[in-house]
Amino acid sequence: ADESQRTNRPAADTSDQLVHSEARRGRNVASAKLSEPKFKRNYLYPDNSSEIDNMTPQQRLRSNVEALEVVRTLMKEGREATAEEREVLGRYRGWGGVDLGRAYSTDMMRRSSTGRWGTQTENDKLLSRLADIIDDLDPNGERGVLSAINRAALTSYYTPTAVARIMNGFVEQAGFKGGNMLDPSMGSGVFEGTMSKDIQQRTMIHGIELDWLTGQIARNLYPDANVLVTGYEQAGTADNAYDVVMSNIPFGDLSVTDKTWKHDSSPVRKAAQNRIHNYFAVKMLDNTRPGGLCVIMTSNAILDTKSNQIIREHLADQAEVLGAVRLPDNTFKGAGTSVVTDVIFLRKFKDEA
């Protein structure tokens, strides 16, 4: 999951909507617990992933390029990733803080990566490889791969695996032993890959990722999951349906229009759609089943901003606040940024009837 201000919100493609319709007919209904391990093909991060969490910008660039080369190969050959290829895909860590040079076009990337005397640094060679991948995966620019990478270089910072592992541990201690999980800002799937093996194999993972390229990585890392490449507001997620809803959500002043709320004139939903982080928080709790867990990793805006009091009151009215943790501002240092981040743990109230 990444922290990003998302500005390009494409419509879901037909195949995504069909997959999610199938999920809504029963696969994401949390009425039956999964007693047997059914989902055995999904990726798990190594127990010690500190090296992945603390790569330099150039190391992240190399890891990302190598991961995208795997995606290109898998799409060309029309097959699933091998275990070795999933290890490469698992090292993809987003573009935040990565120097992409003059990435206005792939031709510009190639020209700017060649020195005055025709020499190339290691970073230059990686940028040339990246340009080739972009041209192969998105030759007409219809998928917006280059523009998405450029936006992500300014705003996209991935959750450290150590933090995600601790959050999963809390969810497990709070009673989750398997069932249905929704991650509406999935990224490449850090939360999904840091579950305990036993829980992961008993969990039907539902992920939503706006960025096409990152969505392909998530789909190849988690072949047993239902990963939609679309915006959260377009995914058609069912209310009161998921045992756990957990995500590192986007933040910023971007507004959201959710057509499923068009007949709901409540002040909280009107306010929520004015800020993307507020929208995610309210929508995530809507999707959580009564008695289920909602875990929100976000900026400090939800808890600190005076105008968000209506959002805070709604969350407290609909759920028990199990806890809230403000992470140190160096938590994302290894990802290339310093940002104040909160994690809010909620358990949705059960219906009294």
Side-chain angles (χ1 to χ4, degrees):
D2 62 281
E3 295 191 358
S4 55
Q5 297 184 25
R6 299 180 171 191
T7 56
N8 180 21
R9 310 190 67 75
D13 61 41
T14 304
S15 60
D16 282 347
Q17 291 179 338
L18 288 174
V19 169
H20 201 79
S21 294
E22 178 186 349
R24 294 188 67 185
R25 285 197 296 270
R27 291 176 66 192
N28 69 349
V29 177
S31 58
K33 299 302 179 186
L34 303 174
S35 58
E36 296 298 326
K38 297 182 179 180
F39 310 107
K40 299 182 179 181
R41 298 183 299 160
N42 292 330
Y43 178 72
L44 281 169
Y45 281 92
D47 290 339
N48 185 355
S49 304
S50 59
E51 186 267 335
I52 297 175
D53 290 336
N54 293 288
M55 290 189 285
T56 66
Q58 187 179 64
Q59 289 170 334
R60 285 203 303 279
L61 175 59
R62 171 175 289 279
S63 293
N64 291 353
V65 168
E66 290 173 349
L68 298 187
E69 287 175 336
V70 169
V71 170
R72 178 175 59 185
T73 297
L74 296 176
M75 295 189 71
K76 181 179 180 180
E77 298 179 2
R79 61 175 176 83
E80 290 186 1
T82 65
E84 292 76 16
E85 288 169 331
R86 285 201 182 104
E87 291 299 327
V88 176
L89 294 172
R91 293 177 61 83
Y92 179 84
R93 299 300 289 163
W95 304 98
V98 173
D99 181 8
L100 296 174
R102 298 177 181 177
Y104 309 117
S105 69
T106 51
D107 287 341
M108 180 68 76
M109 289 172 69
R110 293 186 187 93
R111 287 198 296 270
S112 63
S113 66
T114 303
R116 182 177 180 182
W117 305 108
T119 58
Q120 285 188 314
T121 65
E122 184 65 22
N123 205 72
D124 294 336
K125 294 176 183 177
L126 291 171
L127 290 176
S128 291
R129 287 165 62 184
L130 178 60
D132 291 341
I133 296 167
I134 295 170
D135 282 345
D136 288 341
L137 292 177
D138 192 17
N140 299 318
E142 295 176 353
R143 291 168 171 159
V145 170
L146 179 59
S147 59
I149 289 175
N150 277 320
R151 287 196 305 272
L154 300 174
T155 62
S156 177
Y157 300 93
Y158 275 33
T159 308
T161 59
V163 174
R165 205 179 300 277
I166 291 170
M167 292 168 63
N168 272 308
F170 180 91
V171 167
E172 186 174 342
Q173 288 183 350
F176 181 64
K177 304 303 179 187
N180 294 277
M181 174 198 178
L182 171 67
D183 183 345
S185 182
M186 186 177 186
S188 61
V190 178
F191 291 119
E192 293 70 18
T194 51
M195 293 179 174
S196 64
K197 182 178 180 179
D198 181 64
I199 301 299
Q200 190 200 58
Q201 291 187 354
R202 288 172 167 80
T203 299
M204 180 61 217
I205 296 168
H206 299 266
I208 302 169
E209 173 52 41
L210 180 64
D211 176 62
W212 179 86
L213 195 58
T214 308
Q216 306 315 306
I217 291 175
R219 284 174 167 171
N220 281 288
L221 282 173
Y222 305 99
D224 284 334
N226 172 27
V227 180
L228 307 187
V229 179
T230 186
Y232 190 15
E233 74 279 12
Q234 297 168 330
T237 50
D239 290 345
N240 304 309
Y242 300 89
D243 298 287
V244 172
V245 182
M246 178 164 62
S247 201
N248 177 353
I249 67 175
F251 65 93
D253 294 338
L254 181 66
S255 62
V256 179
T257 300
D258 189 323
K259 293 182 179 179
T260 67
W261 288 2
K262 65 181 179 180
H263 298 302
D264 188 334
S265 59
S266 62
V268 68
R269 280 171 174 73
K270 182 177 180 181
Q273 292 180 94
N274 289 331
R275 298 287 187 275
I276 193 168
H277 46 275
N278 292 336
Y279 169 75
F280 266 71
V282 172
K283 185 76 170 181
M284 286 171 67
L285 194 55
D286 283 351
N287 292 154
T288 307
R289 70 166 177 83
L293 300 167
C294 181
V295 183
I296 306 165
M297 175 177 269
T298 182
S299 71
N300 63 328
I302 290 178
L303 293 184
D304 285 1
T305 304
K306 185 176 180 180
S307 61
N308 286 338
Q309 181 176 348
I310 188 173
I311 305 298
R312 294 190 292 271
E313 290 177 349
H314 174 78
L315 298 180
D317 181 63
Q318 298 295 315
E320 175 188 2
V321 180
L322 301 179
V325 179
R326 177 150 296 171
L327 301 177
D329 62 5
N330 64 352
T331 299
F332 286 81
K333 182 179 180 181
T337 190
S338 296
V339 60
V340 178
T341 304
D342 291 339
V343 183
I344 306 167
F345 297 91
L346 306 170
R347 188 190 300 277
K348 190 170 182 176
F349 288 134
K350 294 182 178 181
D351 295 333
E352 296 297 330

PDB file of all heavy atoms in Angstrom, residues 109-127:
ATOM      1  N   MET A 109      14.206  10.092 -21.599  1.00  0.00           N
ATOM      2  CA  MET A 109      14.909   9.307 -20.592  1.00  0.00           C
ATOM      3  C   MET A 109      16.174   8.695 -21.174  1.00  0.00           C
ATOM      4  O   MET A 109      17.232   8.697 -20.549  1.00  0.00           O
ATOM      5  CB  MET A 109      13.992   8.200 -20.058  1.00  0.00           C
ATOM      6  CG  MET A 109      12.856   8.697 -19.188  1.00  0.00           C
ATOM      7  SD  MET A 109      11.679   7.388 -18.774  1.00  0.00           S
ATOM      8  CE  MET A 109      12.693   6.371 -17.688  1.00  0.00           C
ATOM      9  N   ARG A 110      16.084   8.200 -22.392  1.00  0.00           N
ATOM     10  CA  ARG A 110      17.262   7.593 -23.011  1.00  0.00           C
ATOM     11  C   ARG A 110      18.323   8.647 -23.332  1.00  0.00           C
ATOM     12  O   ARG A 110      19.516   8.415 -23.110  1.00  0.00           O
ATOM     13  CB  ARG A 110      16.860   6.847 -24.288  1.00  0.00           C
ATOM     14  CG  ARG A 110      15.987   5.631 -24.034  1.00  0.00           C
ATOM     15  CD  ARG A 110      15.749   4.866 -25.337  1.00  0.00           C
ATOM     16  NE  ARG A 110      14.794   3.792 -25.141  1.00  0.00           N
ATOM     17  CZ  ARG A 110      13.483   3.908 -25.340  1.00  0.00           C
ATOM     18  NH1 ARG A 110      12.979   5.073 -25.771  1.00  0.00           N
ATOM     19  NH2 ARG A 110      12.677   2.893 -25.139  1.00  0.00           N
ATOM     20  N   ARG A 111      17.886   9.800 -23.854  1.00  0.00           N
ATOM     21  CA  ARG A 111      18.860  10.838 -24.207  1.00  0.00           C
ATOM     22  C   ARG A 111      19.546  11.401 -22.971  1.00  0.00           C
ATOM     23  O   ARG A 111      20.764  11.598 -22.965  1.00  0.00           O
ATOM     24  CB  ARG A 111      18.174  11.974 -24.980  1.00  0.00           C
ATOM     25  CG  ARG A 111      17.796  11.607 -26.401  1.00  0.00           C
ATOM     26  CD  ARG A 111      17.535  12.851 -27.224  1.00  0.00           C
ATOM     27  NE  ARG A 111      16.398  13.609 -26.735  1.00  0.00           N
ATOM     28  CZ  ARG A 111      15.136  13.417 -27.148  1.00  0.00           C
ATOM     29  NH1 ARG A 111      14.877  12.487 -28.047  1.00  0.00           N
ATOM     30  NH2 ARG A 111      14.157  14.146 -26.662  1.00  0.00           N
ATOM     31  N   SER A 112      18.752  11.636 -21.912  1.00  0.00           N
ATOM     32  CA  SER A 112      19.334  12.238 -20.713  1.00  0.00           C
ATOM     33  C   SER A 112      20.178  11.250 -19.933  1.00  0.00           C
ATOM     34  O   SER A 112      20.962  11.648 -19.074  1.00  0.00           O
ATOM     35  CB  SER A 112      18.229  12.798 -19.807  1.00  0.00           C
ATOM     36  OG  SER A 112      17.385  11.763 -19.347  1.00  0.00           O
ATOM     37  N   SER A 113      20.035   9.962 -20.249  1.00  0.00           N
ATOM     38  CA  SER A 113      20.830   8.961 -19.526  1.00  0.00           C
ATOM     39  C   SER A 113      22.167   8.684 -20.203  1.00  0.00           C
ATOM     40  O   SER A 113      22.924   7.819 -19.756  1.00  0.00           O
ATOM     41  CB  SER A 113      20.036   7.651 -19.399  1.00  0.00           C
ATOM     42  OG  SER A 113      19.839   7.060 -20.668  1.00  0.00           O
ATOM     43  N   THR A 114      22.472   9.407 -21.285  1.00  0.00           N
ATOM     44  CA  THR A 114      23.752   9.260 -21.964  1.00  0.00           C
ATOM     45  C   THR A 114      24.606  10.498 -21.708  1.00  0.00           C
ATOM     46  O   THR A 114      24.180  11.618 -21.991  1.00  0.00           O
ATOM     47  CB  THR A 114      23.563   9.082 -23.482  1.00  0.00           C
ATOM     48  OG1 THR A 114      22.728   7.948 -23.713  1.00  0.00           O
ATOM     49  CG2 THR A 114      24.904   8.890 -24.170  1.00  0.00           C
ATOM     50  N   GLY A 115      25.768  10.298 -21.140  1.00  0.00           N
ATOM     51  CA  GLY A 115      26.637  11.408 -20.771  1.00  0.00           C
ATOM     52  C   GLY A 115      27.198  12.137 -21.979  1.00  0.00           C
ATOM     53  O   GLY A 115      27.030  11.719 -23.134  1.00  0.00           O
ATOM     54  N   ARG A 116      27.898  13.249 -21.696  1.00  0.00           N
ATOM     55  CA  ARG A 116      28.421  14.111 -22.758  1.00  0.00           C
ATOM     56  C   ARG A 116      29.362  13.356 -23.687  1.00  0.00           C
ATOM     57  O   ARG A 116      29.379  13.591 -24.893  1.00  0.00           O
ATOM     58  CB  ARG A 116      29.156  15.295 -22.122  1.00  0.00           C
ATOM     59  CG  ARG A 116      29.712  16.281 -23.134  1.00  0.00           C
ATOM     60  CD  ARG A 116      30.349  17.455 -22.426  1.00  0.00           C
ATOM     61  NE  ARG A 116      30.897  18.409 -23.373  1.00  0.00           N
ATOM     62  CZ  ARG A 116      31.544  19.512 -23.025  1.00  0.00           C
ATOM     63  NH1 ARG A 116      31.718  19.794 -21.723  1.00  0.00           N
ATOM     64  NH2 ARG A 116      32.026  20.337 -23.945  1.00  0.00           N
ATOM     65  N   TRP A 117      30.134  12.427 -23.128  1.00  0.00           N
ATOM     66  CA  TRP A 117      31.103  11.687 -23.934  1.00  0.00           C
ATOM     67  C   TRP A 117      30.589  10.274 -24.256  1.00  0.00           C
ATOM     68  O   TRP A 117      31.354   9.380 -24.551  1.00  0.00           O
ATOM     69  CB  TRP A 117      32.438  11.606 -23.205  1.00  0.00           C
ATOM     70  CG  TRP A 117      32.960  12.954 -22.815  1.00  0.00           C
ATOM     71  CD1 TRP A 117      33.031  13.488 -21.583  1.00  0.00           C
ATOM     72  CD2 TRP A 117      33.455  13.966 -23.704  1.00  0.00           C
ATOM     73  NE1 TRP A 117      33.537  14.757 -21.610  1.00  0.00           N
ATOM     74  CE2 TRP A 117      33.818  15.080 -22.912  1.00  0.00           C
ATOM     75  CE3 TRP A 117      33.639  14.027 -25.098  1.00  0.00           C
ATOM     76  CZ2 TRP A 117      34.331  16.242 -23.472  1.00  0.00           C
ATOM     77  CZ3 TRP A 117      34.159  15.197 -25.634  1.00  0.00           C
ATOM     78  CH2 TRP A 117      34.503  16.277 -24.823  1.00  0.00           C
ATOM     79  N   GLY A 118      29.266  10.110 -24.210  1.00  0.00           N
ATOM     80  CA  GLY A 118      28.696   8.818 -24.548  1.00  0.00           C
ATOM     81  C   GLY A 118      28.800   7.789 -23.442  1.00  0.00           C
ATOM     82  O   GLY A 118      28.550   6.608 -23.671  1.00  0.00           O
ATOM     83  N   THR A 119      29.213   8.249 -22.262  1.00  0.00           N
ATOM     84  CA  THR A 119      29.351   7.315 -21.141  1.00  0.00           C
ATOM     85  C   THR A 119      28.039   7.251 -20.362  1.00  0.00           C
ATOM     86  O   THR A 119      27.223   8.174 -20.389  1.00  0.00           O
ATOM     87  CB  THR A 119      30.474   7.771 -20.194  1.00  0.00           C
ATOM     88  OG1 THR A 119      30.157   9.097 -19.721  1.00  0.00           O
ATOM     89  CG2 THR A 119      31.805   7.798 -20.924  1.00  0.00           C
ATOM     90  N   GLN A 120      27.842   6.150 -19.642  1.00  0.00           N
ATOM     91  CA  GLN A 120      26.644   5.967 -18.835  1.00  0.00           C
ATOM     92  C   GLN A 120      27.017   5.508 -17.425  1.00  0.00           C
ATOM     93  O   GLN A 120      27.837   4.605 -17.258  1.00  0.00           O
ATOM     94  CB  GLN A 120      25.718   4.910 -19.460  1.00  0.00           C
ATOM     95  CG  GLN A 120      24.947   5.383 -20.678  1.00  0.00           C
ATOM     96  CD  GLN A 120      23.922   4.346 -21.097  1.00  0.00           C
ATOM     97  OE1 GLN A 120      24.213   3.168 -21.172  1.00  0.00           O
ATOM     98  NE2 GLN A 120      22.702   4.794 -21.367  1.00  0.00           N
ATOM     99  N   THR A 121      26.398   6.134 -16.450  1.00  0.00           N
ATOM    100  CA  THR A 121      26.534   5.664 -15.071  1.00  0.00           C
ATOM    101  C   THR A 121      25.607   4.473 -14.873  1.00  0.00           C
ATOM    102  O   THR A 121      24.781   4.139 -15.730  1.00  0.00           O
ATOM    103  CB  THR A 121      26.153   6.767 -14.081  1.00  0.00           C
ATOM    104  OG1 THR A 121      24.752   7.061 -14.238  1.00  0.00           O
ATOM    105  CG2 THR A 121      26.967   8.037 -14.327  1.00  0.00           C
ATOM    106  N   GLU A 122      25.711   3.832 -13.708  1.00  0.00           N
ATOM    107  CA  GLU A 122      24.818   2.718 -13.395  1.00  0.00           C
ATOM    108  C   GLU A 122      23.366   3.178 -13.396  1.00  0.00           C
ATOM    109  O   GLU A 122      22.476   2.488 -13.902  1.00  0.00           O
ATOM    110  CB  GLU A 122      25.185   2.134 -12.025  1.00  0.00           C
ATOM    111  CG  GLU A 122      24.377   0.902 -11.637  1.00  0.00           C
ATOM    112  CD  GLU A 122      24.645  -0.276 -12.554  1.00  0.00           C
ATOM    113  OE1 GLU A 122      25.705  -0.317 -13.210  1.00  0.00           O
ATOM    114  OE2 GLU A 122      23.766  -1.154 -12.640  1.00  0.00           O
ATOM    115  N   ASN A 123      23.119   4.378 -12.851  1.00  0.00           N
ATOM    116  CA  ASN A 123      21.760   4.923 -12.826  1.00  0.00           C
ATOM    117  C   ASN A 123      21.255   5.174 -14.249  1.00  0.00           C
ATOM    118  O   ASN A 123      20.084   4.916 -14.563  1.00  0.00           O
ATOM    119  CB  ASN A 123      21.736   6.220 -12.026  1.00  0.00           C
ATOM    120  CG  ASN A 123      20.373   6.525 -11.443  1.00  0.00           C
ATOM    121  OD1 ASN A 123      19.932   5.877 -10.505  1.00  0.00           O
ATOM    122  ND2 ASN A 123      19.693   7.524 -12.001  1.00  0.00           N
ATOM    123  N   ASP A 124      22.132   5.671 -15.124  1.00  0.00           N
ATOM    124  CA  ASP A 124      21.758   5.916 -16.516  1.00  0.00           C
ATOM    125  C   ASP A 124      21.318   4.634 -17.207  1.00  0.00           C
ATOM    126  O   ASP A 124      20.322   4.603 -17.938  1.00  0.00           O
ATOM    127  CB  ASP A 124      22.928   6.523 -17.294  1.00  0.00           C
ATOM    128  CG  ASP A 124      23.298   7.914 -16.823  1.00  0.00           C
ATOM    129  OD1 ASP A 124      22.422   8.583 -16.241  1.00  0.00           O
ATOM    130  OD2 ASP A 124      24.455   8.323 -17.031  1.00  0.00           O
ATOM    131  N   LYS A 125      22.060   3.557 -16.974  1.00  0.00           N
ATOM    132  CA  LYS A 125      21.736   2.278 -17.606  1.00  0.00           C
ATOM    133  C   LYS A 125      20.374   1.770 -17.131  1.00  0.00           C
ATOM    134  O   LYS A 125      19.594   1.233 -17.918  1.00  0.00           O
ATOM    135  CB  LYS A 125      22.826   1.252 -17.298  1.00  0.00           C
ATOM    136  CG  LYS A 125      24.170   1.573 -17.915  1.00  0.00           C
ATOM    137  CD  LYS A 125      25.233   0.570 -17.481  1.00  0.00           C
ATOM    138  CE  LYS A 125      26.602   0.933 -18.056  1.00  0.00           C
ATOM    139  NZ  LYS A 125      27.646  -0.012 -17.580  1.00  0.00           N
ATOM    140  N   LEU A 126      20.101   1.971 -15.846  1.00  0.00           N
ATOM    141  CA  LEU A 126      18.812   1.536 -15.312  1.00  0.00           C
ATOM    142  C   LEU A 126      17.663   2.326 -15.932  1.00  0.00           C
ATOM    143  O   LEU A 126      16.602   1.776 -16.240  1.00  0.00           O
ATOM    144  CB  LEU A 126      18.806   1.684 -13.788  1.00  0.00           C
ATOM    145  CG  LEU A 126      19.713   0.724 -13.020  1.00  0.00           C
ATOM    146  CD1 LEU A 126      19.786   1.128 -11.547  1.00  0.00           C
ATOM    147  CD2 LEU A 126      19.200  -0.713 -13.147  1.00  0.00           C
ATOM    148  N   LEU A 127      17.875   3.637 -16.129  1.00  0.00           N
ATOM    149  CA  LEU A 127      16.834   4.460 -16.741  1.00  0.00           C
ATOM    150  C   LEU A 127      16.581   4.060 -18.193  1.00  0.00           C
ATOM    151  O   LEU A 127      15.439   4.083 -18.661  1.00  0.00           O
ATOM    152  CB  LEU A 127      17.217   5.940 -16.658  1.00  0.00           C
ATOM    153  CG  LEU A 127      17.175   6.572 -15.262  1.00  0.00           C
ATOM    154  CD1 LEU A 127      17.671   8.008 -15.310  1.00  0.00           C
ATOM    155  CD2 LEU A 127      15.760   6.526 -14.690  1.00  0.00           C
TER     156      LEU A 127
END
